[in-house]
Structures are given as C-alpha cells and as structure tokens.
Amino acid sequence: MDFSFTEKEEQFRQELRTWLAANLPDGWLQGNVQLDKESKAYELFLRDWQKKLYEGGWAAIAWPKEYGGRNATLMEEIVYQQEMVRVKAPPLINYVGLHMVAPTLMQIGSQQQKDKYIEKIITGEEVWCQGYSEPNAGSDVAAIQTTAVKDGDRWIINGQKVWTSFGHVADRCFLITRTSRLEKKHKGITVFLLDMHQPGVETRPIVSMDGQKDFNEVYLNDAVAYDAEIIGQVDEGWNVIIALLMHERTGIGGQVFTLEQQFHDLVALAKDLNDDDEPLIKNPFIRKTMVDLYTRSRGSLLNYYRNLTKQLKNGHPGAESSMDKLLVSELTKELFAQAISMQGHHGILWKENALIDRSYWQDNYLYSFGQTIGGGTSEIQKNTIAERILGLPKDMGR
C-alpha cells in the first residue's frame, strides 16, 4: 500500500496550511482561546469561524463548485481532515448541515429546497440538527412514534426527539415522522425540513456527565410543517434516511486522525508526569500499555486506509465504515482511561482542580463514552460487521 500523497495533494495541503496560519483565531495555536461552551459567545464564535471558512473556500471542500465547494477529491478531503486535526481547529457548529443535510438535498431534494437551504447551510446562517432518535426508538429508527397529520397544505407534528445534537442552537431540523401506519414499519415515514423557531417546538438541554449540554430533548406540540418542506415522497422517507446515513459515515476519517493525534498527546503526558522522580514513560508497565494502544491505534489507521482504498476503487463508501467507527470509538475510550489512570488520584479531579491542561483529559474521558453510542452504538456496528461483511445470519432478536 502506498501511503504517499501526490504532488498536487501536497500543494493542496500547503495551501490549506497557509490559510490556517493566517486565519485561525488569535492565540488558538498557543491554547490562549478559552470560551465557556455554554455561553452565547461560544455559539457566535463558532458561527463566525464557519463564515470565515466559507469566505476562504474551506467550509465544504467536497461540495460541487456551484454550491460553494471545491469539488475536492476524496484524497484532498483526507488531507483537509489531517490538517484540521493537526491544528485542533475549532469544531463546525453546522456539522449536521454541511456533512449530512446539504449532501442529501443535493442528491434528492427539489430545486426549490436546494435554492432555499444550501447556501444558508454553507455560510452558517442556518444551523441544522437531526431529529431521529426518540425515547423508544434509538438504533431502531423505524420504531419512531412522532406523528405528522395532514391539514390542508400543512402538517401538524406531535412527539418527542432525544439526544439531538446542536438542537439548542439549531435553526432547522431534518425531522423524521410517522405519517401512516402500514404493515411494514419502514413504510409510512416522512422527512420534514422543520423550522425550529416556531411555537410548538421546545428544546431542553440534557446535561451529560461531563457537565456539557451537547445533546437535547426536543418536544413537538402541534408544530407545523408544509408540503414544500417534505424531502422525498410522503410515506417513503426510509430511502431519505438511508441517503443521509450514507453521508454521515463519510466523516469517520477525522475521528481516525484525531485518535492518532490524541495518542501523541498521551505520550507527551507520560513524559511530563513523574513517578519516584522519573518520567512515567520509563515505567515498564506504562510502556507496555502504551505499546498496546499504539499497535491498535495504528492498526485502526491502516484499516481505515484499506477501506479508503476500496472506496476509491468502488466510488462509494461501504459497510466497512462500521469497522472504522467501532475501532476508533472503543479505542478512544481506552486511551483516555489510560490518561486518567496515569494521573493517579489527581485523575479524579476536574475543572480548576485538574492536574494539567485545564481538565482536557477528564473532559474527553467522560465524553468518550458517548462516542460509543452516538452515530450508531458499538453493538449496532458489530451487527453490521457480522451481517454485511462477514456474511453471518441476522440477529434474531431484532
């Protein structure tokens, strides 16, 4: 396998590096930018960052040029992800819109929908969330109970969504609803492009164990959507759901490279921390654990490259992305658990009492548990791998 990049791809990398050096927020690389993630200022900071990316042509490089993208190749996307991870760039507040909603609209949306929504997605003017999971419909999306009832050219929507990322800052929601009760539960589903700023839509943040409010409950009480806000066909939303999920899986590369960067951070931590006046990195037990983590994280990266090679040949992602997602999320959890362990009793301290890095390791350790759930649980990924890659029979419990 050839791990080198072409001259054109390296030129692309240098162009991006130059832009980042000139446009990252002042003090970002030095770690001097500290914002309260729960504040309105942080939301505005992220919206401004996406607008700056858009103005520089870096907000959605894989998009067609007609929509503000660069028509970037898959390998240029990989270079982009590597460089963003390298500088630990600010997150994208409109990740759902950029990587899931807009590509789905380009694929199956009406021309009116493309004209109305896509530009506002890439500029960051409208932030999107995804209304899939419900209290009794998590990984089994087809079990949703949220209803949409026809009323003239309007649809009256009632129900509840949960674990809605970005729901508290979203302007619109890619919402799946039940519009008919048919024999097959995958039928009778309709997808709406819902306005979140209307009476009847209530968002309640969920406080996770790391103290953050990244997820939300969304209550829909006679919320209104219109025929023009339906994507695809009435009762045929399952095809729309599958289309969006295929786009969702394309972002796994960034997580793979982030894991690689986090391992380097872990090595630096082991060099900084001392035990009996010697760096922890010299402790044989620590070294053995680090070698094990390195071997598996490196294996995860190589497996991703193998799957990427297959995608380059086939022209589309496959079920192998479940392997990448499973490996990365589980390894991330182990890596941060090791970081907490190496800090000894200081590892249980948090925020201003943390030993180093303003609780970077504690925050990410707690957050890592959610990574094995969001985007499809590890159990679901194992089922996908078993059935679609290994060819094993379907899980009879489903």
Side-chain angles (χ1 to χ4, degrees):
M1 184 180 292
D2 184 4
F3 296 113
S4 62
F5 292 90
T6 66
E7 182 179 348
K8 181 181 177 182
E9 289 159 357
E10 290 298 346
Q11 289 174 350
F12 178 85
R13 184 191 303 278
Q14 190 55 52
E15 180 187 357
L16 176 56
R17 282 191 175 185
T18 301
W19 186 89
L20 286 170
N23 289 277
L24 279 169
D26 291 341
W28 184 263
L29 290 174
Q30 294 76 31
N32 295 330
V33 179
Q34 301 292 339
L35 289 170
D36 180 3
K37 291 186 177 180
E38 304 306 318
S39 68
K40 185 67 176 179
Y42 185 65
E43 177 190 338
L44 295 175
F45 169 80
L46 294 182
R47 285 182 183 261
D48 288 344
W49 171 243
Q50 185 178 321
K51 185 178 181 182
K52 183 175 286 190
L53 286 170
Y54 163 71
E55 292 170 346
W58 298 106
I61 63 169
W63 286 19
K65 290 183 179 179
E66 64 185 286
Y67 292 117
R70 289 176 172 247
N71 254 344
T73 66
L74 182 56
M75 291 309 297
E76 286 173 335
E77 286 187 72
I78 298 305
V79 170
Y80 178 87
Q81 291 168 348
Q82 288 179 331
E83 291 304 308
M84 288 300 188
V85 168
R86 180 182 63 84
V87 299
K88 298 181 180 178
L92 288 171
I93 191 172
N94 207 15
Y95 183 91
V96 172
L98 288 167
H99 291 280
M100 302 179 210
V101 176
T104 305
L105 288 172
M106 293 177 200
Q107 181 181 346
I108 56 180
S110 68
Q111 189 59 50
Q112 179 186 12
Q113 290 168 343
K114 295 174 185 177
D115 294 341
K116 182 176 181 179
Y117 300 119
I118 290 179
E119 183 178 355
K120 290 182 180 179
I121 288 174
I122 193 172
T123 61
E125 182 179 345
E126 285 188 345
V127 173
W128 285 70
C129 63
Q130 180 182 351
Y132 274 34
S133 295
E134 298 183 3
N136 295 309
S139 298
D140 184 7
V141 175
I144 60 166
Q145 298 298 312
T146 295
T147 60
V149 178
K150 181 75 168 167
D151 178 27
D153 69 338
R154 306 188 312 164
W155 293 80
I156 309 302
I157 302 174
N158 287 279
Q160 179 189 355
K161 298 295 177 178
V162 72
W163 309 121
T164 307
S165 299
F166 306 104
H168 58 304
V169 296
D171 302 293
R172 287 197 169 267
C173 180
F174 192 92
L175 181 76
I176 62 172
T177 67
R178 174 69 59 190
T179 45
S180 296
R181 299 286 177 183
L182 302 176
E183 184 177 344
K184 293 184 177 180
K185 67 180 182 179
H186 294 88
K187 296 290 185 179
I189 293 174
T190 303
V191 181
F192 291 91
L193 308 174
L194 184 75
D195 179 6
M196 294 286 284
H197 301 302
Q198 62 166 294
V201 177
E202 180 186 359
T203 302
R204 299 180 189 174
I206 299 172
V207 181
S208 53
M209 63 182 177
D210 62 356
Q212 300 301 316
K213 300 175 182 176
D214 299 314
F215 308 113
N216 302 267
E217 295 176 289
V218 178
Y219 292 88
L220 304 159
N221 298 296
D222 291 338
V224 175
Y226 295 88
D227 289 340
E229 294 171 329
I230 294 173
I231 180 169
Q233 302 298 316
V234 174
D235 291 342
E236 297 296 331
W238 187 252
N239 295 327
V240 181
I241 292 171
I242 296 302
L244 183 134
L245 288 176
M246 290 301 292
H247 292 298
E248 181 179 19
R249 287 287 180 264
T250 60
I252 191 67
Q255 297 176 37
V256 174
F257 300 130
T258 297
L259 176 64
E260 186 180 31
Q261 179 63 52
Q262 288 166 339
F263 178 79
H264 293 313
D265 291 342
L266 183 66
V267 172
L269 178 67
K271 292 179 178 178
D272 289 340
L273 295 176
N274 291 319
D275 181 33
D276 291 333
D277 295 326
E278 280 208 335
L280 275 181
I281 195 69
K282 292 187 177 182
N283 182 301
F285 177 76
I286 297 294
R287 292 175 69 87
K288 181 178 182 297
T289 303
M290 298 287 277
V291 167
D292 176 67
L293 284 171
Y294 171 77
T295 302
R296 290 189 290 146
S297 62
R298 184 66 179 173
S300 174
L301 177 66
L302 296 179
N303 190 67
Y304 171 71
Y305 281 148
R306 180 176 65 176
N307 296 337
L308 180 64
T309 300
K310 184 176 180 180
Q311 184 176 341
L312 286 167
K313 292 178 179 178
N314 295 342
H316 57 82
E320 290 80 9
S321 60
S322 287
M323 298 169 61
D324 297 321
K325 203 275 183 183
L326 177 66
L327 288 170
V328 170
S329 60
E330 293 293 340
L331 270 172
T332 298
K333 188 166 64 174
E334 289 189 48
L335 185 148
F336 282 102
Q338 175 64 16
I340 296 299
S341 177
M342 289 195 310
Q343 294 178 54
H345 61 271
H346 290 284
I348 66 173
L349 300 178
W350 199 20
K351 301 299 180 185
E352 66 274 5
N353 294 318
L355 182 63
I356 53 175
D357 290 343
R358 296 177 62 87
S359 75
Y360 166 80
W361 296 105
Q362 284 77 5
D363 285 340
N364 281 282
Y365 170 66
L366 294 174
Y367 183 77
S368 69
F369 287 83
Q371 290 181 266
T372 65
I373 300 172
T377 66
S378 291
E379 290 74 19
I380 290 295
Q381 306 305 332
K382 290 175 182 178
N383 275 340
T384 300
I385 294 167
E387 295 168 11
R388 297 182 58 189
I389 299 177
L390 300 178
L392 298 177
K394 287 186 176 293
D395 179 1
M396 299 305 293
R398 292 189 292 147

